[in-house]
Amino acid sequence: MKDENPRRILLVAACALVDADGRVLLAQRPEGKQLAGLWEFPGGKVEPGETPEQTLIRELKEEIGIVTKPACLAPLTFASHTYEDFHLLMPLYICRRYEGIARSLEGQALKWVRPRDMRDYPMPPADEPLIPFLIDLL
Ligand code: C5P
């Protein structure tokens, strides 16, 4: 659905979940959603009253069964991208300490990917500029 206010700012929190081999988890956006088929960092919209860390703790549990805590989420960088209907601000956190084995709880495909291989996975335009940060860091 087209938003009536193209200048609306949308705040989405995203997380680079890192495994012991330095790979990062990507999730494929499911059919029926905007940008379906593209690969993204897990996360979601920051709901009113939430901090981005709270959003990530909630979304990681709901979407992939991963449990973590605020102290294990470190802000890494910020994506800022203007889509047709809204402007997206998206802080990217990195998380190396968590409990659980990532599994798809909402039907989305999941893939552990080395940062240098991420270009093989088409991502939303907001997410793509984040890849160099992960290549430099991991
Ligand atoms: O995931 P959700 O559909 O709630 O995100 C809202 C919008 O934010 C998406 O339609 C997409 O345009 C953008 N988004 C993005 N990169 C992400 C997550 C969301 O560009 N990793």
Side-chain angles (χ1 to χ4, degrees):
M1 191 171 64
K2 193 167 164 63
D3 196 283
E4 289 178 2
N5 180 0
R7 287 179 297 171
R8 181 172 68 117
I9 290 178
L10 189 64
L11 182 59
V12 169
C15 183
L17 198 69
V18 183
D19 74 1
D21 297 325
R23 297 177 305 175
V24 173
L25 189 72
L26 296 182
Q28 193 172 32
R29 293 181 65 83
E31 288 305 317
K33 270 190 141 183
Q34 204 183 357
L35 306 174
L38 299 186
W39 294 83
E40 66 181 13
F41 301 102
K45 285 185 194 121
V46 179
E47 301 291 350
E50 279 185 336
T51 63
E53 289 90 345
Q54 288 169 335
T55 303
L56 287 177
I57 287 166
R58 175 176 57 75
E59 293 276 3
L60 292 175
K61 194 170 177 196
E62 284 173 11
E63 292 180 355
I64 53 175
I66 289 292
V67 175
T68 190
K69 44 191 175 184
C72 300
L73 289 166
L76 183 57
T77 184
F78 229 100
S80 179
H81 184 83
T82 303
Y83 285 102
E84 188 186 350
D85 299 343
F86 56 89
H87 186 84
L88 179 75
L89 288 178
M90 188 170 71
L92 178 71
Y93 286 75
I94 187 161
C95 179
R96 298 170 185 265
R97 291 179 55 205
Y98 48 85
E99 288 175 9
I101 295 171
R103 61 194 194 280
S104 171
L105 297 178
E106 296 185 343
Q108 75 281 41
L110 300 176
K111 188 95 183 166
W112 290 100
V113 182
R114 294 188 188 288
R116 63 173 181 267
D117 295 332
M118 279 186 184
R119 301 241 179 250
D120 297 337
Y121 294 80
M123 299 181 92
D127 299 54
E128 267 178 22
L130 303 175
I131 296 173
F133 283 84
L134 294 172
I135 290 174
D136 285 349
L137 189 76
L138 298 174

